[in-house]
Amino acid sequence: MKRCKVCRKKPRLERRVNNEGVLFCSDDCYDDYDHSPNDMDHPYIDDYEAIRFVYIDWMENYEDDLYKEWLYGTPRKEELMEQLDEFLGEFMDYYGLEGRDGVFSAEIYHYVMELEQLKVVMKNWKADEKVLNKRRKAMYEERKRRKEEEEIWG
Ligand SMILES: [Zn+2]
């Protein structure tokens, strides 16, 4: 597996590249590298940064969000899927390109495919009873703690 150009760590969820395909583990390492010419002028940079950000956000939060329907009644899974669909709808050009127009288009296509896969994962997702009970308990504890705080502090 390729490593970050700056710190040599293995890039994970927050990996990013510059328009020459140089690999970084994070925005910090990307910013520390002084040889990413013209990235900010690249026609795909805004879409690349947008989809990378959204991808990281969904991967970190989708399961918490799915449990919210069970814990709080909202948002519903269908609403989350619609949100994701709507977002991906703005990337239709990149579906057609299939990543063939340079490094950023390849990255964007990669994220599009990952998010399409996430849609399947979410569709088939079911709450795990044990996890759900744990989260319910944590929710009640939190509510109790807040109520007690309110009673003390007014
Ligand atoms: Zn790094």
Side-chain angles (χ1 to χ4, degrees):
M1 197 193 201
K2 283 173 81 177
R3 288 169 185 266
C4 173
K5 182 81 176 172
V6 173
C7 74
R8 312 306 297 164
K9 271 194 259 180
K10 281 183 187 166
R12 303 176 75 90
L13 185 61
E14 301 198 5
R15 71 184 281 283
R16 72 170 294 157
V17 296
N18 71 6
N19 73 38
E20 291 168 339
V22 177
L23 183 67
F24 306 94
C25 70
S26 63
D27 287 330
D28 285 344
C29 280
Y30 172 78
D31 289 339
D32 282 349
Y33 186 71
D34 294 328
H35 314 287
S36 299
N38 309 321
D39 268 14
M40 289 308 132
D41 301 328
H42 196 283
Y44 297 156
I45 186 72
D46 289 343
D47 285 342
Y48 171 55
E49 297 208 316
I51 199 166
R52 174 177 171 268
F53 180 83
V54 164
Y55 170 76
I56 293 170
D57 190 41
W58 276 86
M59 294 314 281
E60 282 178 340
N61 296 310
Y62 82 89
E63 198 152 33
D64 280 344
D65 286 344
L66 286 169
Y67 274 110
K68 278 180 190 156
E69 183 179 349
W70 289 84
L71 295 172
Y72 311 108
T74 180
R76 296 176 56 79
K77 190 203 273 191
E78 291 76 27
E79 289 163 12
L80 289 170
M81 310 265 309
E82 268 170 37
Q83 262 182 41
L84 192 48
D85 253 345
E86 226 167 85
F87 175 77
L88 285 171
E90 290 170 31
F91 288 83
M92 276 307 154
D93 292 349
Y94 296 99
Y95 283 74
L97 273 176
E98 294 182 340
R100 282 176 306 219
D101 192 20
V103 171
F104 285 154
S105 92
E107 285 292 312
I108 291 165
Y109 186 62
H110 164 76
Y111 286 127
V112 162
M113 289 296 110
E114 291 287 317
L115 288 170
E116 285 290 342
Q117 186 54 38
L118 179 64
K119 270 166 45 180
V120 178
V121 170
M122 286 175 73
K123 197 169 169 225
N124 297 324
W125 182 89
K126 287 193 174 63
D128 181 287
E129 277 304 318
K130 271 189 200 152
V131 177
L132 190 56
N133 283 336
K134 232 184 182 173
R135 286 178 186 246
R136 276 206 181 106
K137 237 180 234 167
M139 183 182 73
Y140 292 134
E141 290 297 319
E142 174 65 18
R143 280 188 185 163
K144 214 170 92 185
R145 197 183 59 76
R146 254 192 246 159
K147 220 176 151 201
E148 282 167 3
E149 254 179 28
E150 272 169 34
E151 276 161 12
I152 292 169
W153 304 106

